[in-house]
Amino acid sequence: MVWRNQTLNLDFILLGIFDYRPTHIFLFSLVLGIFTVAFMGNTLMVLLIYLDTQLHTPMYLLLSQLSLMDLMLISTTVPKMAFSYLSGRKSISLAGCGIQIFFYVSLLGAECFLLAVMAYDRYVAVCHPLRYTILMNQKRCVFMTVASWILGSLDGIIVLVAALSFPYCSSLEIHHFFCDVAALLPLSCTDTSAFENLLFICCVVMLVLPVSVIIGSYSRVLQAVICMDSKESRRKAFTICSSHLSVVGLYYGAAMFMYMRPASNHTPDQDKVVSAFYTILTPMLNPLIYSLRNKDVSKGFQKLLRKGKL
């Protein structure tokens, strides 16, 4: 009980990713620029899909949820990092650390499942176009979307409860720019190897199962696209699917590199860079990929600008 009271009163120190050298000041400014573009891009994507009735289809409903997840993910880490860097106050309470862990893990997990649902949606649209409105009706689409949020949240709750159950009495310096579980566990007084192994297994399952669905879906989509007679149909299907595959490659590539390696192969600096890639850069790229390569999104944006709704 004593250690629990001590732990609850702890303040951790986030060492961050930047110092005050000119090069790092430039990089920090660049991160703020990326954050601004990501925040505005994902907000506009959510508003556009909500306001344009022609985009009220399963594919764009899923896309709006992806943008919302990216918006929440980048807002979970960057504002605190920027405040710590600009103010010099690098401390974060255990409660604040727990909030970051919950939202970070939940959003990553939910995005894993949502990308698999988006792949299934494209599979049905390309391979079973006549049955699309039945197989991907609004009720089923909402159900799979809500399921993605719930499964991600359950993952976040499990990791949060486990992480906060350990006593922390070692050095309170977290070698990261936010409270990542992998960076927090080495500070514990007790042996966390069993939990780290369980966490590794969970990460593998969370990544491998959705990736299997994505690979299976797009292998069938590729076969169907090759067999299409119309060049225009092939071009449209390829454009939409390649946009989604670009997002999948960016997200899962970094996540697998980060979480599907043994803990002994991790270094703090390497983890910071990889985490920055898929928590800061990827949320900026997602709306750009979909808006630049999707005529429906571009037309919808131009139409709402003319009407003055955006």
Side-chain angles (χ1 to χ4, degrees):
M1 191 65 179
V2 175
W3 67 258
R4 185 174 293 275
N5 291 334
Q6 291 175 343
T7 300
L8 291 174
N9 294 324
L10 288 180
D11 279 347
F12 297 100
I13 304 298
L14 293 172
L15 296 182
I17 192 172
F18 302 122
D19 55 34
Y20 296 97
R21 289 175 291 175
T23 303
H24 280 219
I25 293 174
F26 168 76
L27 291 174
F28 173 74
S29 303
L30 183 62
V31 167
L32 285 186
I34 292 173
F35 171 77
T36 303
V37 173
F39 189 89
M40 293 179 61
N42 285 292
T43 301
L44 284 173
M45 189 68 73
V46 173
L47 289 175
L48 173 63
I49 294 172
Y50 174 76
L51 294 172
D52 190 348
T53 55
Q54 291 186 349
L55 299 180
H56 290 181
T57 62
M59 183 180 80
Y60 293 109
L61 171 64
L62 297 174
L63 179 56
S64 71
Q65 294 303 297
L66 178 66
S67 292
L68 180 60
M69 290 176 185
D70 282 338
L71 183 62
M72 294 176 64
L73 180 62
I74 199 170
S75 299
T76 299
T77 57
V78 176
K80 173 59 181 174
M81 180 196 71
F83 175 79
S84 298
Y85 184 81
L86 294 173
S87 67
R89 297 170 56 186
K90 298 184 178 182
S91 63
I92 183 171
S93 66
L94 184 67
C97 200
I99 290 172
Q100 278 197 333
I101 289 174
F102 171 74
F103 280 104
Y104 172 74
V105 175
S106 297
L107 291 167
L108 287 182
E111 199 158 327
C112 279
F113 292 112
L114 185 71
L115 288 172
V117 174
M118 293 175 73
Y120 173 75
D121 171 73
R122 290 302 84 205
Y123 158 71
V124 175
V126 175
C127 299
H128 303 283
L130 298 179
R131 301 178 60 197
Y132 180 75
T133 55
I134 298 174
L135 296 176
M136 279 299 292
N137 56 54
Q138 186 176 11
K139 184 177 180 180
R140 184 169 296 178
C141 181
V142 170
F143 171 78
M144 288 192 289
T145 302
V146 172
S148 298
W149 281 99
I150 291 175
L151 290 172
S153 298
L154 287 175
D155 187 35
I157 291 172
I158 292 171
V159 173
L160 174 64
V161 171
L164 296 188
S165 66
F166 295 112
Y168 296 97
C169 52
S170 181
S171 169
L172 300 181
E173 294 183 343
I174 300 176
H175 291 269
H176 220 300
F177 61 92
F178 68 95
C179 278
D180 185 24
V181 179
L184 185 64
L185 290 180
L187 308 182
S188 176
C189 306
T190 58
D191 181 22
T192 61
S193 57
F195 174 67
E196 290 177 18
N197 292 333
L198 178 61
L199 188 64
F200 174 76
I201 294 172
C202 289
C203 289
V204 170
V205 172
M206 290 279 290
L207 291 171
V208 169
L209 287 181
V211 166
S212 300
V213 173
I214 292 170
I215 292 175
S217 298
Y218 276 106
S219 61
R220 297 294 299 274
V221 167
L222 182 61
Q223 294 175 4
V225 170
I226 292 174
C227 296
M228 286 180 178
D229 295 328
S230 170
K231 289 184 178 180
E232 179 62 22
S233 298
R234 282 201 303 268
R235 186 199 62 79
K236 185 175 181 180
F238 178 77
T239 299
I240 295 175
C241 293
S242 61
S243 297
H244 184 232
L245 282 175
S246 299
V247 173
V248 168
L250 288 170
Y251 180 81
Y252 281 102
M256 286 183 172
F257 181 81
M258 183 73 179
Y259 294 108
M260 292 186 66
R261 294 178 301 144
S264 58
N265 292 344
H266 287 236
T267 62
D269 291 338
Q270 193 178 62
D271 288 350
K272 289 178 188 179
V273 173
V274 177
S275 296
F277 179 82
Y278 69 82
T279 61
I280 300 175
L281 186 61
T282 302
M284 180 199 72
L285 294 176
N286 287 353
L288 294 179
I289 290 172
Y290 281 107
S291 61
L292 293 177
R293 304 192 65 181
N294 191 304
K295 289 185 177 180
D296 293 335
V297 172
S298 300
K299 289 179 180 177
F301 182 72
Q302 293 171 7
K303 181 175 69 176
L304 292 179
L305 279 179
R306 287 195 299 268
K307 292 182 178 180
K309 291 185 177 182
L310 285 178

